[in-house]
Amino acid sequence: MMESGVPYCSTCGEPVGFVSGAEEKEVFVACHGCGYPLCKACLEDEIRDGRTSCLRCDEPYRHVLDKVHEDPDDVGETAPIEDHTSMHQGNRFHARSTSSFSAVGSEILSESGNPVWKDRVQSWKEKKKSTKKAPKKAEKAEIPVEQQQFDEKELTDTWEPLSRVIPISKNKLTPYRAIIILRLIILGLFFHYRITNPVDSAYGLWLTSIICEIWFAFSWVLDQFPKWCPINREAYIDRLAARYERDGDGSALAAVDFFVSTVDPLKEPPLITANTVLSILSVDYPVDKVSCYVSDDGAAMLTFEALAETAEFATKWVPFCKKFSIEPRAPEFYFSQKIDYLKDKVQPSFVKERRAMKRDYEEYKVRINALVAKAQKTPEEGWIMQDGTPWPGNNTRDHPGMIQVFLGQTGSHDIDGNELPRLVYVSREKRPGYPHHKKAGAMNALVRVSAILTNAPFILNLDCDHYVNNSKAVREGMCFLMDPDVGKDVCYVQFPQRFDGIDKSDRYANRNIVFFDVNMKGLDGIQGPVYVGTGCMFNRQALYGYGPPSLPALPKSSFCSWCCGCCCCCSGPKEEKKSENEIYRESRREDLNAAIFNLHEISNYDEYERSMLISKMSFEKTFGLSSVFIESTLMDNGGVPESANPSTLIKEAIHVISCGYEEKTEWGKEIGWIYGSVTEDILSGFKMHCRGWRSIYCMPTRPAFKGSAPINLSDRLHQVLRWALGSVEIFLSRHCPLWYGYGGGRLKWLQRLAYINTIVYPFTSLPLIAYCSLPAICLLTGKFIIPTLSNIASVYFLGLFLSIIVTSVLELRWSGIGIEDWWRNEQFWVIGGVSAHLFAVFQGILKMIAGLDTNFTVTAKAADDGEFGELYVFKWTTVLIPPTTILVLNLVGVVAGFSDALNSGYEAWGPLFGKVFFSMWVIMHLYPFLKGLMGRQNRTPTIVILWSVLLASVFSLLWVKIDPFISNTEGQESKGCLDFDC
């Protein structure tokens, strides 16, 4: 074994060895400035390549330079300076002399006779070395000797941080935290009183209310404490330009691959998708750094032809946008703005060119709409392309993979002769019997295709209806991802979602202001915001399952224990038996890191252990059988591998989107977008945070992206139903935050609380429906869930209500949102909870137990004309029945309660007000739902009224008839009184 105290070379992973000729064994040190570990063979290669400075501190290797000056010819020899290790001194190859890359991961030895890990580690180390050296070169290029010609401000901006954290003022945050603690104390006193003072006359109602209130308190804790440390951030795009875009030196900004996904062009209009693509192609970013990949998961010829038209129109639109710096750069939304478009436009030709561009866009719209009209009826023989061949995607469930590069090839320029960004159409292969995993599978296909063709180090994904509203949004994100102090551990930068076309009152809380402006800021102060599915910039390495560079190495003991366990059958019985807790922890850690291949973690292992580790976690079993793609995963800075043949890249890209490529790999399990839930976004972000990454929340002054949202009641509820169903699926899977990801200890506890909240909130629908029904039941039965209040009980209740109000007010104060947005969020929390969330819970349970995938169909009714006409569209769905029933039940209860009070006398009015207060609380929260039912002309489908009135009437009569909360003694006394004709 190797002698203790000898460090391993940071380049090849071998021991650095000792200094020959020393009286005592002295460890070889290449750099006396920082002690950077480097063996003599690697040092010799560094000198031979002309690199004479330390990679870490940039100090020259002085003792080597002295020897070079004495006898330069010695350095040029291929033999090592001298033997440098105390073991294996025979015919042993050095890791730096092996082949550059090997794609065969199942064998222990490569063709050269070396362990496979050496070949792979060398390739990875070469990549890491170039990564570390690149900034050094950039520094020398950016700050030449003649730096005096730059003004002081420009030089200052170049090296200042690209972003900063703006903490919330202590004057706002300290009272907020204090009232949270106070509210927690009051909740404890409140529950002590409630539990120790049961209502004997209505024990069932009292017990139900206690259970509901305890669950509500638990949900509040999950939602509240992740907002303990909210922060704001600010990005400096001028400093980014000063650092990476020097005049005459070209742009050093990192490349970005944009992903746009669409399925059905008849439901997702091609014109909307085209506007998204046009806004991407015209972003304020170097054109050679931008590539746009459009995934057509429906293999629709309509989408293909629309993209061809879009590529042609982009040759006019892109130069117009960049010439006049217009915002937004989606033509449909730019030309529909009701603003003074002459403001800040000083070029005299602007008006003329704008009119010409608008005319060109109207003609483009006519062509797109003609394609849509043509696609309404599919020919019996299927679609035929212009060359007379059948469209390969005529059968949407059985077709080959298709890739078409529209822009970005040689000769594709705009009308001014400038280069255009790359535009690629992708439709992955689909065959019967192969799972496709919906959007997550389509995104993973784009990850592989883009890695083959462009391999940008960063990826930005957008839904087809989310266009780029701020052309500098990419630069805003790069201020975090390319900041050497911040970006090294960032897996993604999430932008808030903003929407067009929503009514001013935001009746159904479509903007989600509370979530995006409150909850996400709170998460940004912990480990980062959750991934919400669109408007997100990814570090490609994080999608590949790698851990962050600063991740500490796992303890060697756990790996050694694993090796001992694997070899126990050969080496005899184990010396020491593990405890159950140790086995559990190691299994969790192995599960957490099943596909994480952090090569820097293996530097503490000897040669045999490393070869075993690489064999266990081979590249092919993880990424699939594509040598070009596997090599691209080892390139931190992106770019197409040098070994790739340009003439075969498209063929290789077709291969990686074949339907069987992901079989027996880790795609969708540990790498890429994770499968197993319709909300693949939450699950994928959760896996990254478990690996130790953090995310960033970026909120530019001008919204980065804008999209469309369903504003009518039925569509909004079905959107919420899909989100809630995804949360239930995660809850019932092995990735549930309640038990997943503890082994590595990399997920912070408050971040885990936030993820638990995202998967348990649909289950709040069960106590919420019960609690919303209690006021009506109390009014109909004459019972109440609270006994006669004492003075101390009144203090508890008053303190609880005041703490709830003050918490909300202070939250509004530090977040800056309006009270109307907060109230709309509270209302829709109840509306969604008693409708969509309830159905999601039952659908998720049925899917898990019986494998049933229930779909709730929607039938549309004609919309009214006028602005926001879609708001008044009504579509019948079963999701509407529970809230309508609760609403009618409470209205009937209020009427019955007042009628009973009028007949019972003065003493009945006191208890009545408490019951009516709770009932009106329910009705006020369901009021937007009632408006949605009535529509503009107060028309409600007969079936809704029929079912709701029927259920409410039956339920009311059942309670009046059975009255189970009256004790037997009361019943006997009442019966006896009737017998005596009292």
Side-chain angles (χ1 to χ4, degrees):
M1 290 297 292
M2 187 173 304
E3 298 186 30
S4 61
V6 181
Y8 291 91
C9 176
S10 297
T11 301
C12 67
E14 296 187 2
V16 298
F18 300 97
V19 177
S20 299
E23 297 179 359
E24 298 181 358
K25 287 188 176 181
E26 180 182 351
V27 176
F28 176 78
V29 179
C31 176
H32 290 283
C34 65
Y36 183 67
L38 196 68
C39 67
K40 290 185 179 179
C42 292
L43 180 59
E44 181 187 40
D45 289 343
E46 293 284 316
I47 300 299
R48 185 183 300 113
D49 295 340
R51 296 183 286 269
T52 59
S53 300
C54 176
L55 295 176
R56 178 184 294 171
C57 65
D58 206 26
E59 290 291 329
Y61 299 126
R62 297 187 183 280
H63 64 292
V64 178
L65 291 178
D66 293 338
K67 183 173 182 178
V68 172
H69 292 315
E70 292 175 4
D71 191 359
D73 295 333
D74 291 344
V75 182
E77 298 177 358
T78 57
I81 297 175
E82 56 186 68
D83 292 337
H84 57 281
T85 59
S86 59
M87 65 176 221
H88 303 289
Q89 295 184 5
N91 297 326
R92 187 169 67 85
F93 288 93
H94 189 271
R96 286 289 293 270
S97 64
T98 57
S99 60
S100 62
F101 179 77
S102 172
V104 183
S106 58
E107 300 179 1
I108 299 298
L109 297 180
S110 66
E111 295 180 358
S112 62
N114 294 320
V116 172
W117 71 267
K118 284 188 177 182
D119 295 341
R120 289 174 177 156
V121 169
Q122 178 217 345
S123 175
W124 182 81
K125 294 299 183 183
E126 290 286 350
K127 170 204 65 173
K128 296 297 289 184
K129 181 177 65 175
S130 63
T131 301
K132 293 178 181 178
K133 294 184 69 63
K136 300 294 182 182
K137 294 180 181 179
E139 289 174 13
K140 294 178 181 178
E142 291 166 3
I143 306 183
V145 178
E146 299 83 5
Q147 61 182 350
Q148 290 81 5
Q149 63 182 332
F150 297 106
D151 63 294
E152 183 178 352
K153 181 180 184 301
E154 184 175 359
L155 288 177
T156 302
D157 288 347
T158 302
W159 301 111
E160 285 187 347
L162 301 179
S163 63
R164 72 183 180 103
V165 174
I166 305 177
I168 305 296
S169 171
K170 291 184 178 180
N171 294 333
K172 297 179 180 179
L173 206 54
T174 302
Y176 177 67
R177 292 173 175 173
I179 200 64
I180 290 174
I181 299 299
L182 180 61
R183 181 174 172 180
L184 203 60
I185 296 172
I186 294 176
L187 268 175
L189 297 174
F190 171 79
F191 281 121
H192 178 268
Y193 168 78
R194 291 281 283 127
I195 294 173
T196 56
N197 292 271
V199 182
D200 296 329
S201 60
Y203 190 82
L205 294 176
W206 169 83
L207 183 61
T208 302
S209 67
I210 289 294
I211 295 173
C212 294
E213 289 164 1
I214 291 175
W215 180 265
F216 295 151
F218 171 71
S219 299
W220 172 76
V221 170
L222 293 180
D223 180 70
Q224 187 67 69
F225 279 91
K227 296 182 284 189
W228 186 260
C229 304
I231 62 171
N232 293 311
R233 292 184 186 270
E234 185 177 7
Y236 302 103
I237 58 177
D238 52 342
R239 297 178 184 176
L240 181 77
R243 182 176 298 186
Y244 294 104
E245 292 185 299
R246 288 289 187 183
D247 294 337
D249 293 338
S251 175
L253 292 172
V256 182
D257 288 338
F258 286 79
F259 291 174
V260 179
S261 58
T262 182
V263 180
D264 187 352
L266 299 181
K267 294 182 180 179
E268 299 166 333
L271 188 61
I272 299 299
T273 304
N275 271 269
T276 299
V277 171
L278 289 169
S279 69
I280 292 172
L281 297 178
S282 56
V283 293
D284 182 9
Y285 207 71
V287 292
D288 59 323
K289 309 287 187 179
V290 176
S291 300
C292 179
Y293 293 84
V294 179
S295 170
D296 177 18
D297 222 27
M301 187 173 173
L302 173 57
T303 303
F304 181 85
E305 292 181 332
L307 273 185
E309 291 285 353
T310 302
E312 178 66 25
F313 179 70
T315 61
K316 303 176 182 178
W317 175 252
V318 172
F320 172 75
C321 293
K322 295 188 174 181
K323 180 178 180 180
F324 298 107
S325 301
I326 67 168
E327 297 285 359
R329 299 190 177 181
E332 182 68 22
F333 300 95
Y334 170 70
F335 290 121
S336 63
Q337 290 182 116
K338 298 179 180 179
I339 61 173
D340 181 12
Y341 61 84
L342 296 177
K343 185 178 181 181
D344 300 329
K345 298 295 185 293
V346 295
Q347 293 99 327
S349 62
F350 172 69
V351 175
K352 180 180 178 180
E353 293 192 35
R354 184 184 186 276
R355 289 173 180 171
M357 182 54 60
K358 187 173 184 181
R359 183 173 60 252
D360 290 339
Y361 178 64
E362 293 298 330
E363 294 174 357
Y364 164 75
K365 285 176 63 176
V366 170
R367 296 194 297 271
I368 295 294
N369 291 332
L371 292 174
V372 174
K374 177 184 175 182
Q376 296 299 318
K377 185 177 181 180
T378 305
E380 294 182 1
E381 66 277 8
W383 297 108
I384 305 296
M385 294 189 291
Q386 292 181 356
D387 59 358
T389 59
W391 171 247
N394 278 325
N395 186 343
T396 58
R397 298 184 179 181
D398 187 3
H399 64 83
M402 295 177 282
I403 295 177
Q404 176 66 46
V405 180
F406 285 109
L407 297 175
Q409 293 178 319
T410 304
S412 57
H413 296 83
D414 60 29
I415 57 176
D416 294 337
N418 299 316
E419 183 182 357
L420 285 170
R422 183 182 295 249
L423 175 61
V424 184
Y425 169 89
V426 179
S427 181
R428 57 184 172 141
E429 181 186 18
K430 287 189 177 181
R431 302 297 181 190
Y434 287 89
H436 305 301
H437 305 291
K438 300 180 180 179
K439 180 182 176 181
M443 299 304 291
N444 285 337
L446 288 184
V447 171
R448 297 191 293 272
V449 170
S450 62
I452 298 294
L453 299 181
T454 52
N455 196 33
F458 302 109
I459 294 171
L460 197 156
N461 84 290
L462 291 172
D463 289 343
C464 63
D465 60 343
H466 278 67
Y467 64 91
V468 181
N469 182 66
N470 182 349
S471 62
K472 298 184 183 296
V474 180
R475 294 177 179 270
E476 294 265 359
M478 285 300 174
C479 286
F480 301 102
L481 292 171
M482 296 190 70
D483 191 321
D485 297 327
V486 178
K488 58 184 179 181
D489 292 336
V490 175
C491 55
Y492 59 82
V493 174
Q494 178 65 62
F495 295 86
Q497 292 185 18
R498 302 299 188 218
F499 302 98
D500 288 319
I502 297 178
D503 57 301
K504 295 180 180 179
S505 62
D506 193 14
R507 180 187 294 179
Y508 306 122
N510 283 279
R511 294 190 177 94
N512 286 324
I513 294 295
V514 172
F515 175 75
F516 286 111
D517 288 23
V518 180
N519 296 68
M520 296 287 265
K521 286 183 179 180
L523 291 176
D524 199 18
I526 309 172
Q527 201 171 340
V530 298
Y531 168 41
V532 297
T534 183
C536 187
M537 290 184 67
F538 286 97
N539 182 335
R540 188 182 284 267
Q541 294 295 307
L543 286 172
Y544 290 156
Y546 295 126
S550 62
L551 185 68
L554 294 175
K556 180 178 176 181
S557 60
S558 64
F559 174 79
C560 294
S561 300
W562 174 81
C563 288
C564 294
C566 292
C567 303
C568 63
C569 58
C570 302
S571 59
K574 292 181 287 186
E575 297 180 0
E576 182 179 355
K577 186 176 181 180
K578 298 177 185 177
S579 66
E580 293 184 2
N581 290 335
E582 291 175 342
I583 296 175
Y584 175 80
R585 285 195 298 268
E586 291 179 11
S587 66
R588 287 302 179 194
R589 174 165 291 179
E590 182 180 349
D591 178 69
L592 177 64
N593 298 281
I596 303 174
F597 195 38
N598 298 314
L599 291 178
H600 67 277
E601 289 188 356
I602 70 172
S603 59
N604 292 331
Y605 304 143
D606 61 26
E607 184 173 318
Y608 173 73
E609 290 171 340
R610 280 179 280 192
S611 64
M612 289 290 293
L613 182 64
I614 300 300
S615 298
K616 178 175 180 290
M617 300 179 182
S618 63
F619 285 95
E620 293 80 11
K621 291 181 180 179
T622 301
F623 297 112
L625 298 174
S626 171
S627 59
V628 178
F629 175 75
I630 291 174
E631 189 170 358
S632 72
T633 66
L634 299 175
M635 304 175 68
D636 272 348
N637 293 328
V640 179
E642 295 180 359
S643 60
N645 185 353
S647 62
T648 61
L649 286 181
I650 293 294
K651 183 179 179 181
E652 189 71 18
I654 291 290
H655 167 62
V656 298
I657 61 172
S658 59
C659 55
Y661 182 83
E662 294 184 356
E663 286 189 335
K664 298 181 180 180
T665 68
E666 296 296 335
W667 284 101
K669 301 173 186 175
E670 300 293 339
I671 62 176
W673 272 258
I674 306 301
Y675 305 150
S677 171
V678 295
T679 53
E680 71 288 330
D681 45 9
I682 297 292
L683 192 53
S684 302
F686 172 63
K687 294 279 285 188
M688 294 180 196
H689 283 137
C690 284
R691 294 182 182 123
W693 293 93
R694 72 152 294 123
S695 53
I696 297 291
Y697 196 48
C698 180
M699 296 183 66
T701 303
R702 179 182 178 87
F705 312 102
K706 280 191 175 182
S708 58
I711 63 173
N712 71 75
L713 177 61
S714 302
D715 288 348
R716 172 65 168 146
L717 288 178
H718 274 268
Q719 181 190 55
V720 173
L721 170 61
R722 187 179 67 84
W723 295 342
L725 176 61
S727 296
V728 174
E729 289 174 340
I730 297 174
F731 179 83
L732 300 175
S733 72
R734 74 182 186 92
H735 291 117
C736 178
L738 286 169
W739 50 72
Y740 181 83
Y742 287 94
R746 301 163 186 169
L747 188 67
K748 296 183 179 180
W749 279 100
L750 287 180
Q751 191 79 15
R752 184 178 296 278
L753 281 184
Y755 274 112
I756 292 175
N757 187 43
T758 63
I759 57 104
V760 302
Y761 79 88
F763 295 94
T764 304
S765 60
L766 300 175
L768 187 60
I769 281 201
Y771 208 72
C772 288
S773 302
L774 284 178
I777 296 173
C778 291
L779 287 167
L780 293 172
T781 59
K783 307 299 180 182
F784 201 37
I785 59 176
I786 301 174
T788 304
L789 295 180
S790 61
N791 292 335
I792 189 65
S794 300
V795 172
Y796 292 157
F797 276 89
L798 183 61
L800 181 61
F801 283 119
L802 288 177
S803 65
I804 293 174
I805 295 173
V806 174
T807 303
S808 301
V809 170
L810 293 177
E811 198 168 89
L812 298 179
R813 184 167 173 251
W814 68 254
S815 65
I817 67 173
I819 190 170
E820 184 178 8
D821 293 320
W822 172 83
W823 175 237
R824 287 285 181 257
N825 181 78
E826 293 294 312
Q827 286 180 313
F828 198 78
W829 177 77
V830 175
I831 295 172
V834 298
S835 56
H837 297 174
L838 178 68
F839 278 77
V841 170
F842 286 109
Q843 185 177 353
I845 294 175
L846 287 174
K847 186 176 181 180
M848 182 195 69
I849 297 176
L852 299 178
D853 192 2
T854 308
N855 292 318
F856 302 103
T857 57
V858 180
T859 303
K861 193 179 81 172
D864 295 330
D865 297 330
E867 189 178 9
F868 306 121
E870 179 70 15
L871 179 65
Y872 306 102
V873 172
F874 185 87
K875 302 176 183 179
W876 159 244
T877 169
T878 51
V879 177
L880 301 176
I881 294 178
T884 307
T885 303
I886 291 175
L887 191 59
V888 172
L889 195 63
N890 277 275
L891 290 172
V892 171
V894 170
V895 175
F898 276 102
S899 300
D900 182 68
L902 290 172
N903 295 328
S904 301
Y906 176 78
E907 64 279 359
W909 286 94
L912 174 66
F913 284 118
K915 301 173 188 177
V916 170
F917 172 80
F918 286 111
S919 188
M920 293 303 297
W921 177 89
V922 175
I923 294 172
M924 289 175 62
H925 279 79
L926 292 176
Y927 180 68
F929 176 82
L930 179 61
K931 292 180 67 176
L933 284 182
M934 294 303 178
R936 176 174 290 176
Q937 298 175 353
N938 297 332
R939 292 178 298 178
T940 303
T942 305
I943 189 170
V944 176
I945 298 177
L946 179 63
W947 274 101
S948 301
V949 173
L950 179 62
L951 290 176
S953 301
V954 170
F955 193 79
S956 302
L957 293 174
L958 186 64
W959 276 97
V960 172
K961 180 67 176 177
I962 298 176
D963 207 359
F965 299 110
I966 299 180
S967 63
N968 293 332
T969 304
E970 292 177 349
Q972 292 175 359
E973 291 175 357
S974 179
K975 182 178 179 180
C977 184
L978 290 174
D979 290 340
F980 285 103
D981 197 18
C982 293

